Amino acid sequence: MDITKLGKFIGALHRRFQIAMTHDLTLPEINASNANFLLFIGEYAPVTAKQIATELAINKGLVSREMTRLEKAGYITRTPDDTDHRTTWIKTTPAGDQACTTIRQIKQALWDQVLGDTSETDLATIYTHLAAWSEQAKRFDQSK
């Protein structure tokens, strides 16, 4: 097997989903990139910008810009920590929770189209491998 094709397939899937998400999203100030941030916040809130950057492997500057956009649009709030003023906690607002529901529905519909004939057993196996590979790849973050 040509292992370089694995990266090509993963990259192509990601780009095609980003394009489809951009096309299907009609929420104000939400794009395919910050939709993923919003979903992460909705699932793990309260979180910090550093946690978002680390878990999603995204540049901290981009996270900061998108958090400003999402806050101005009313999808998130940022609250300074009372004990450590270097830390700001981020969580979704009710509008952010509604947006998360819409984003999940769009993502589900897209994945249903792609994975329609894939068995639950195969999906579970793929998921397990991808999760493990993602964890193993976190070692690359420490080599910077």
Side-chain angles (χ1 to χ4, degrees):
M1 170 176 37
D2 181 359
I3 197 68
T4 59
K5 288 184 180 178
L6 182 61
K8 180 189 94 169
F9 295 145
I10 291 170
L13 268 172
H14 174 71
R15 286 186 297 280
R16 287 185 173 115
F17 267 81
Q18 294 292 88
I19 291 166
M21 284 292 297
T22 298
H23 180 264
D24 291 351
L25 278 168
T26 59
L27 298 165
E29 297 298 319
I30 298 287
N31 59 43
S33 293
N34 64 21
N36 290 322
F37 299 164
L38 191 57
L39 286 176
F40 182 81
I41 296 164
E43 187 170 346
Y44 297 102
V47 298
T48 64
K50 182 178 181 180
Q51 288 172 310
I52 296 167
T54 300
E55 287 301 312
L56 299 180
I58 303 291
N59 172 289
K60 283 189 249 181
L62 175 61
V63 170
S64 179
R65 286 188 300 276
E66 293 300 335
M67 292 306 100
T68 298
R69 178 181 289 168
L70 290 171
E71 185 176 39
K72 284 181 182 177
Y75 295 116
I76 64 165
T77 59
R78 293 189 278 189
T79 308
D81 189 294
D82 291 335
T83 59
D84 182 357
H85 295 291
R86 297 170 296 174
T87 301
T88 299
W89 295 104
I90 304 166
K91 64 181 184 176
T92 55
T93 63
D97 293 335
Q98 261 188 323
C100 285
T101 299
T102 299
I103 294 164
R104 278 189 204 94
Q105 290 169 344
I106 293 169
K107 283 184 172 280
Q108 185 67 54
L110 293 172
W111 277 111
D112 286 348
Q113 291 176 51
V114 172
L115 301 173
D117 61 348
T118 306
S119 73
E120 287 296 321
T121 302
D122 287 344
L123 283 176
T125 300
I126 292 165
Y127 180 88
T128 299
H129 285 298
L130 286 172
W133 297 336
S134 181
E135 282 301 311
Q136 291 172 9
K138 286 181 180 179
R139 291 183 291 192
F140 303 147
D141 297 344
Q142 297 160 357
S143 66
K144 294 179 184 176

